Amino acid sequence: MHDSHFLGFGLGLRTPHYDYVIQERPLVDWFEILTENYFVGGGKPKYYLHQVREHYPIVMHGVSLSIGSTDPLNTDYLKQLRALVAEIEPEWISDHLCWTTVNHINSHDLLPLPYTQEALAHVVSRVQQVQDFLGRQILLENPSSYLDFNHADMSEVEFLSEVANQADCFILLDINNIYVSSRNHGFCAEQYLEAIDPKRVRQFHLAGHSDYGDYVIDTHDHNVCDDVWSLYRKALMHFGAVSTMIERDGNIPVFEELHAELAQARQLFLQTLELDEVPKPENLVLHA
Amino acid sequence: MPKALQALEQAFLDYLLTGDPDILAPHVAVKGKSSVDTKLQIYNNAYKMRFREAIDTNHELLGLYLGDELFEAMVDGYVVKHPSRYTSLRDYTSHLPDFLRNNAPFSAHPILAEFANFERLLLDVFDALDAVSISIEDIRMLPAENWPEMRLRLHPSVQLFAAEWNSVESWQCLRAGVSPGAANSQPESYWLLWRGLDRLSEFRSMTADEYALIQAIVHGDDFANMCELLTQWHTEEAPVAFINYLNNWISNGMVIAIV
Ligand SMILES: [Fe+2]
């Protein structure tokens, strides 16, 4: 039914919830951390992270790999990443299928790639270099985007699948991003899901967005909307049991509210897969 | 080198830096319900918004001190003048004190650069490496005859700040929700910033003798030199004054080694 990498239901670890998580130890199967927040020398972020790590599996999610950039790979960044991986021993690490810097100027945004053969060869070779450097496979997330280029050789989902196959990496499928981009570019979200090989998908993101009618912006500051829940259901039918988490970065509510939203995901998962209970994660090592 | 990809990425960035849609629009597909202009504008808005937020987050009270209009003018000027060359948005604002010092209309008010500098140091205190502080017990164990040649190592979070304006006092007023009043130049005041044993950033004022003393520690002076230095302010009680300061620094977690 599920592979041994299934972790269950997680949440993004966010600063306002540090104390709650450590004191109350809520029933959450795992936490996702924002990698770059822990590149600081020490102090509070590191202290809390180690406390949380003692009790929960962790996955690391980065925004600065800039895998599609034509700048050389940032070796300082990769070294910091490798050191944090050694320190935290995450279940896996992820970043985005996008580019961030050009000519050493950082846009600090997850910018879209042109889905060309040239870009594909470039990204594949960079993923391979990163995986060799880190000594492990990575997950790449489908980005949300607001524009598409007019000289593409393939669709985003074809590009993403080819990157995963050729570079032998995994996919973090953001269900909300598929929805957001499908609205912005007018493609069919379900066909996108169905075009992806389930063996490549290790994690789902769910999140809220801002709907402006003619376009949708991926703001992570709302609850998950009904359309995204229904796309999640379809994703479960196609992919089976995939570790699922909810991202919330703005307008962050009390922890209990996110926890309740996560319970909704768990409920939908059990219903859709016709299960009585969530499969137990295997091979987990806690960091006590 | 993937030439077409490189050219496209450069065009995208040039568009973000200049806001000129003609640079990128020819590459953008007409799809979905929004116009190419709208699609481009979304990225341009996000670009500026992100840096605005970074400035606001890193300098939590500077915006209040400047007021909305000057804050927006600062953001506009800084974003254009300082494209980010950093991985972290935390570092992105590191040129802000210099920007305020060197650019009108901010340069006419030297307190602004000083205020921003103080907030920068608070960030550095928060982000500094961890290190284990020594206790008063550790120092009691040291043989008295070694004292004159001993040196201190400070916690990586310790920072010194000298102010010529009432910048820190104004910061404290805003923090307390009180109007800071007018900017005034004043005799130099000295501030000590560090991360306390409970991992909170702290700061306090200090006198000229303590400021000189901590500069001497940073410089690598030994205890004998530091007592000598203190005689400028404390003719007879220099060693007593030194021990008092030492006790204070150690009990606040500012010392990590005596070597
Ligand atoms: Fe995501």
Side-chain angles (χ1 to χ4, degrees):
Chain A
M1 172 77 236
H2 66 282
D3 72 31
S4 61
H5 302 284
F6 179 69
L7 291 181
F9 294 82
L11 283 173
L13 182 64
R14 300 293 182 260
T15 314
H17 300 145
Y18 279 157
D19 282 319
Y20 182 90
V21 171
I22 289 164
Q23 279 157 25
E24 305 295 325
R25 288 221 218 125
L27 286 170
V28 172
D29 297 329
W30 50 281
F31 281 100
E32 182 186 84
I33 62 165
L34 298 171
T35 304
E36 292 82 359
N37 287 0
Y38 302 92
F39 280 4
V40 292
K44 273 193 163 180
K46 273 285 180 73
Y47 168 79
Y48 281 114
L49 176 57
H50 282 282
Q51 297 268 311
V52 173
R53 182 65 184 98
E54 279 183 27
H55 303 290
Y56 297 94
I58 295 280
V59 309
M60 284 170 41
H61 186 50
V63 292
S64 307
L65 188 58
S66 197
I67 199 74
S69 170
T70 47
D71 284 351
L73 282 166
N74 182 341
T75 43
D76 283 346
Y77 177 79
L78 287 175
K79 281 179 191 160
Q80 280 183 291
L81 180 58
R82 188 167 62 181
L84 191 63
V85 166
E87 187 180 330
I88 300 304
E89 301 181 43
E91 297 300 319
W92 58 72
I93 62 173
S94 61
D95 206 294
H96 301 79
L97 181 68
C98 71
W99 63 279
T100 302
T101 64
V102 61
N103 208 3
H104 305 284
I105 303 284
N106 195 340
S107 69
H108 296 274
D109 198 354
L110 307 173
L111 299 173
L113 281 161
Y115 299 126
T116 59
Q117 291 294 350
E118 183 202 44
L120 177 63
H122 181 64
V123 171
V124 166
S125 102
R126 291 187 31 122
V127 173
Q128 287 166 337
Q129 288 173 58
V130 167
Q131 293 187 146
D132 287 348
F133 183 87
L134 298 173
R136 62 193 294 154
Q137 289 169 289
I138 62 171
L139 280 66
L140 283 182
E141 174 177 349
N142 57 303
S144 53
S145 61
Y146 311 101
L147 63 76
D148 221 352
F149 298 106
N150 55 15
H151 39 73
D153 298 324
M154 61 198 102
S155 66
E156 177 181 295
V157 69
E158 287 164 341
F159 190 94
L160 178 62
S161 298
E162 278 308 305
V163 169
N165 285 333
Q166 293 183 27
D168 195 17
C169 68
F170 292 102
I171 294 172
L172 191 177
L173 205 58
D174 188 314
I175 307 294
N176 177 60
N177 288 355
I178 297 176
Y179 177 79
V180 166
S181 296
S182 74
R183 285 273 306 274
N184 289 336
H185 310 309
F187 65 72
C188 171
E190 286 150 51
Q191 280 173 12
Y192 190 109
L193 287 179
E194 282 157 17
I196 291 179
D197 178 359
K199 286 198 296 295
R200 289 286 167 194
V201 178
R202 278 262 163 105
Q203 185 185 341
F204 286 156
H205 272 169
L206 294 170
H209 55 250
S210 300
D211 193 330
Y212 294 93
D214 286 350
Y215 58 93
V216 182
I217 297 191
D218 179 32
T219 44
H220 295 185
D221 60 355
H222 287 74
N223 292 340
V224 177
C225 75
D226 289 345
D227 286 345
V228 171
W229 282 126
S230 90
L231 195 57
Y232 176 53
R233 245 180 74 83
K234 284 166 189 151
L236 289 169
M237 292 191 292
H238 179 65
F239 296 102
V242 173
S243 308
T244 299
M245 72 149 283
I246 298 177
E247 292 183 290
R248 187 68 171 251
D249 295 297
N251 202 3
I252 297 179
V254 293
F255 190 87
E256 289 93 332
E257 197 179 317
L258 288 180
H259 205 185
E261 203 180 17
L262 191 64
Q264 213 179 324
R266 191 184 280 112
Q267 198 53 43
L268 196 58
F269 173 97
L270 294 175
Q271 267 172 24
T272 309
L273 299 180
E274 296 176 9
L275 295 170
D276 295 327
E277 57 181 57
V278 175
K280 289 266 174 299
E282 294 167 19
N283 308 324
L284 274 188
V285 184
L286 282 185
H287 219 209
Chain B
M1 172 55 90
K3 284 216 175 76
L5 179 62
Q6 213 271 339
L8 184 68
E9 290 180 350
Q10 190 63 56
F12 207 131
L13 187 79
D14 290 344
Y15 163 63
L16 294 177
L17 295 176
T18 62
D20 176 2
D22 294 344
I23 298 174
L24 191 58
H27 302 286
V28 177
V30 179
K31 276 189 190 171
K33 290 184 182 161
S34 56
S35 67
V36 169
D37 259 9
T38 304
K39 291 171 189 289
L40 290 176
Q41 201 56 52
I42 292 171
Y43 284 99
N44 205 262
N45 290 345
Y47 180 76
K48 193 180 146 194
M49 190 70 79
R50 190 162 292 107
F51 293 125
R52 187 188 186 286
E53 262 174 33
I55 294 172
D56 211 16
T57 306
N58 293 353
H59 289 273
E60 56 166 325
L61 298 180
L62 182 63
L64 267 182
Y65 192 62
L66 286 167
D68 289 350
E69 207 171 305
L70 274 179
F71 181 74
E72 291 309 325
M74 176 184 75
V75 170
D76 288 345
Y78 191 75
V79 167
V80 169
K81 204 147 197 164
H82 291 279
S84 175
R85 292 177 178 275
Y86 298 99
T87 300
S88 164
L89 283 170
R90 198 85 165 161
D91 299 326
Y92 167 69
T93 55
S94 56
H95 306 284
L96 199 61
D98 278 342
F99 175 83
L100 293 168
R101 190 173 298 116
N102 298 321
N103 290 278
F106 315 102
S107 49
H109 310 281
I111 191 172
L112 296 177
E114 210 179 86
F115 192 106
N117 222 332
F118 178 70
E119 285 193 320
R120 179 76 238 171
L121 291 183
L122 288 174
L123 291 179
D124 293 344
V125 168
F126 186 90
D127 291 343
L129 279 167
D130 284 326
V132 179
S133 302
I134 63 164
S135 68
I136 298 284
E137 293 311 310
D138 295 326
I139 196 166
R140 289 212 180 104
M141 321 251 282
L142 298 168
E145 64 269 27
N146 295 354
W147 273 57
E149 278 124 60
M150 296 277 194
R151 289 173 169 82
L152 294 175
R153 281 225 191 96
L154 296 174
H155 192 277
S157 68
V158 173
Q159 297 280 354
L160 297 178
F161 186 62
E164 293 171 0
W165 294 79
N166 55 337
S167 52
V168 180
E169 292 85 351
S170 300
W171 190 94
Q172 288 171 305
C173 284
L174 289 169
R175 188 60 184 273
V178 181
S179 161
N184 287 310
S185 68
Q186 55 187 33
E188 206 166 33
S189 64
Y190 306 104
W191 302 88
L192 179 57
L193 303 86
W194 76 102
R195 192 164 70 218
L197 294 165
D198 52 6
R199 290 175 196 81
L200 293 175
S201 302
E202 303 191 33
F203 69 91
R204 64 167 170 81
S205 67
M206 58 183 166
T207 46
D209 57 326
E210 190 180 8
Y211 181 68
L213 213 48
I214 296 183
Q215 281 185 313
I217 298 172
V218 173
H219 184 253
D221 285 4
D222 62 20
F223 284 14
N225 281 333
M226 287 194 272
C227 285
E228 174 67 32
L229 181 69
L230 274 182
T231 56
Q232 290 178 46
W233 294 274
H234 309 262
T235 36
E236 268 143 49
E237 289 86 30
V240 177
F242 178 68
I243 297 289
N244 285 340
Y245 283 133
L246 188 58
N247 272 325
N248 178 286
W249 300 329
I250 291 174
S251 53
N252 282 293
M254 288 181 231
V255 180
I256 57 169
I258 298 186
V259 291

